[in-house]
Short mmCIF file of all heavy atoms in Angstrom, two decimals:
data_model
loop_
_atom_site.label_atom_id
_atom_site.label_comp_id
_atom_site.label_asym_id
_atom_site.label_seq_id
_atom_site.Cartn_x
_atom_site.Cartn_y
_atom_site.Cartn_z
N ARG H 93 -211.02 28.57 -6.49
CA ARG H 93 -210.63 27.76 -7.64
C ARG H 93 -211.55 26.56 -7.78
O ARG H 93 -211.96 26.20 -8.89
CB ARG H 93 -209.19 27.29 -7.46
CG ARG H 93 -208.70 26.39 -8.58
CD ARG H 93 -207.53 25.52 -8.14
NE ARG H 93 -207.38 24.41 -9.05
CZ ARG H 93 -208.11 23.29 -9.00
NH1 ARG H 93 -209.05 23.16 -8.09
NH2 ARG H 93 -207.90 22.32 -9.87
N ASP H 94 -211.89 25.90 -6.67
CA ASP H 94 -212.76 24.72 -6.72
C ASP H 94 -214.15 25.09 -7.24
O ASP H 94 -214.74 24.34 -8.02
CB ASP H 94 -212.88 24.09 -5.34
CG ASP H 94 -211.58 23.48 -4.85
OD1 ASP H 94 -210.76 23.08 -5.70
OD2 ASP H 94 -211.37 23.43 -3.62
N VAL H 95 -214.68 26.21 -6.76
CA VAL H 95 -216.01 26.64 -7.20
C VAL H 95 -215.99 26.97 -8.69
O VAL H 95 -216.89 26.58 -9.44
CB VAL H 95 -216.48 27.85 -6.37
CG1 VAL H 95 -217.79 28.40 -6.94
CG2 VAL H 95 -216.67 27.45 -4.91
N THR H 96 -214.97 27.67 -9.11
CA THR H 96 -214.85 28.01 -10.54
C THR H 96 -214.72 26.75 -11.39
O THR H 96 -215.28 26.67 -12.48
CB THR H 96 -213.63 28.92 -10.77
OG1 THR H 96 -213.75 30.09 -9.94
CG2 THR H 96 -213.54 29.36 -12.23
N ALA H 97 -214.02 25.75 -10.85
CA ALA H 97 -213.82 24.50 -11.59
C ALA H 97 -215.12 23.75 -11.84
O ALA H 97 -215.20 22.92 -12.75
CB ALA H 97 -212.84 23.60 -10.82
N LEU H 98 -216.16 24.04 -11.04
CA LEU H 98 -217.45 23.40 -11.28
C LEU H 98 -217.99 23.73 -12.67
O LEU H 98 -218.77 22.97 -13.24
CB LEU H 98 -218.46 23.84 -10.21
CG LEU H 98 -218.15 23.40 -8.77
CD1 LEU H 98 -219.16 24.02 -7.81
CD2 LEU H 98 -218.16 21.89 -8.66
N GLY H 99 -217.56 24.86 -13.20
CA GLY H 99 -217.98 25.24 -14.55
C GLY H 99 -217.41 24.36 -15.64
O GLY H 99 -217.90 24.39 -16.78
N ARG H 100 -216.43 23.55 -15.30
CA ARG H 100 -215.81 22.66 -16.30
C ARG H 100 -216.53 21.32 -16.40
O ARG H 100 -216.17 20.47 -17.21
CB ARG H 100 -214.34 22.41 -15.95
CG ARG H 100 -213.46 23.64 -15.99
CD ARG H 100 -213.55 24.37 -17.30
NE ARG H 100 -213.09 23.54 -18.42
CZ ARG H 100 -213.36 23.81 -19.70
NH1 ARG H 100 -214.12 24.84 -20.03
NH2 ARG H 100 -212.89 23.03 -20.66
N ALA H 101 -217.58 21.12 -15.58
CA ALA H 101 -218.29 19.84 -15.56
C ALA H 101 -218.77 19.37 -16.93
O ALA H 101 -218.70 18.17 -17.24
CB ALA H 101 -219.48 19.91 -14.59
N PRO H 102 -219.24 20.26 -17.82
CA PRO H 102 -219.69 19.78 -19.14
C PRO H 102 -218.56 19.25 -20.03
O PRO H 102 -218.82 18.66 -21.07
CB PRO H 102 -220.31 21.04 -19.77
CG PRO H 102 -220.64 21.92 -18.64
CD PRO H 102 -219.56 21.69 -17.63
N TYR H 103 -217.31 19.46 -19.61
CA TYR H 103 -216.18 19.10 -20.48
C TYR H 103 -215.28 18.02 -19.90
O TYR H 103 -214.48 17.41 -20.63
CB TYR H 103 -215.32 20.35 -20.75
CG TYR H 103 -216.11 21.50 -21.30
CD1 TYR H 103 -216.58 22.50 -20.46
CD2 TYR H 103 -216.41 21.59 -22.66
CE1 TYR H 103 -217.31 23.56 -20.94
CE2 TYR H 103 -217.14 22.65 -23.16
CZ TYR H 103 -217.60 23.62 -22.30
OH TYR H 103 -218.34 24.67 -22.78
N THR H 104 -215.36 17.77 -18.58
CA THR H 104 -214.48 16.78 -17.98
C THR H 104 -214.97 15.37 -18.30
O THR H 104 -216.10 15.16 -18.72
CB THR H 104 -214.41 16.97 -16.46
OG1 THR H 104 -215.74 16.98 -15.92
CG2 THR H 104 -213.72 18.29 -16.11
N ASN H 105 -214.11 14.38 -18.05
CA ASN H 105 -214.48 12.99 -18.36
C ASN H 105 -215.51 12.47 -17.38
O ASN H 105 -215.95 13.17 -16.48
CB ASN H 105 -213.23 12.10 -18.39
CG ASN H 105 -212.45 12.15 -17.07
OD1 ASN H 105 -213.03 12.31 -16.00
ND2 ASN H 105 -211.14 12.02 -17.17
N TRP H 106 -215.88 11.21 -17.53
CA TRP H 106 -217.01 10.68 -16.78
C TRP H 106 -216.80 10.63 -15.27
O TRP H 106 -217.76 10.58 -14.50
CB TRP H 106 -217.36 9.29 -17.30
CG TRP H 106 -216.32 8.25 -17.06
CD1 TRP H 106 -215.23 8.01 -17.84
CD2 TRP H 106 -216.26 7.32 -15.98
NE1 TRP H 106 -214.49 6.99 -17.32
CE2 TRP H 106 -215.10 6.52 -16.18
CE3 TRP H 106 -217.07 7.05 -14.88
CZ2 TRP H 106 -214.73 5.51 -15.31
CZ3 TRP H 106 -216.70 6.02 -14.01
CH2 TRP H 106 -215.54 5.28 -14.23
N ILE H 107 -215.56 10.71 -14.82
CA ILE H 107 -215.32 10.77 -13.38
C ILE H 107 -215.00 12.20 -12.93
O ILE H 107 -214.66 12.44 -11.78
CB ILE H 107 -214.17 9.83 -12.96
CG1 ILE H 107 -212.86 10.19 -13.69
CG2 ILE H 107 -214.54 8.39 -13.18
CD1 ILE H 107 -211.67 9.39 -13.19
N GLY H 108 -215.16 13.16 -13.84
CA GLY H 108 -214.98 14.56 -13.49
C GLY H 108 -213.55 14.98 -13.26
O GLY H 108 -213.29 15.96 -12.56
N ARG H 109 -212.60 14.26 -13.84
CA ARG H 109 -211.19 14.58 -13.61
C ARG H 109 -210.76 15.77 -14.47
O ARG H 109 -210.96 15.79 -15.67
CB ARG H 109 -210.32 13.36 -13.91
CG ARG H 109 -208.83 13.60 -13.70
CD ARG H 109 -208.07 12.31 -13.85
NE ARG H 109 -208.45 11.36 -12.79
CZ ARG H 109 -208.11 10.08 -12.81
NH1 ARG H 109 -207.41 9.59 -13.82
NH2 ARG H 109 -208.48 9.28 -11.82
N MET H 110 -210.14 16.74 -13.82
CA MET H 110 -209.66 17.93 -14.53
C MET H 110 -208.38 17.60 -15.29
O MET H 110 -207.47 16.96 -14.76
CB MET H 110 -209.39 19.04 -13.52
CG MET H 110 -210.62 19.54 -12.79
SD MET H 110 -211.48 20.84 -13.69
CE MET H 110 -210.34 22.19 -13.44
N GLN H 111 -208.32 18.09 -16.51
CA GLN H 111 -207.12 17.97 -17.33
C GLN H 111 -206.36 19.31 -17.30
O GLN H 111 -206.92 20.33 -16.86
CB GLN H 111 -207.51 17.61 -18.77
CG GLN H 111 -208.31 16.33 -18.89
CD GLN H 111 -207.54 15.12 -18.37
OE1 GLN H 111 -206.35 14.97 -18.62
NE2 GLN H 111 -208.24 14.25 -17.63
#
Side-chain angles (χ1 to χ4, degrees):
R93 178 202 162 279
D94 293 332
V95 173
T96 304
L98 295 175
R100 296 306 298 163
Y103 306 96
T104 53
N105 56 33
W106 66 276
I107 59 173
R109 179 173 295 168
M110 295 273 287
Q111 302 299 318

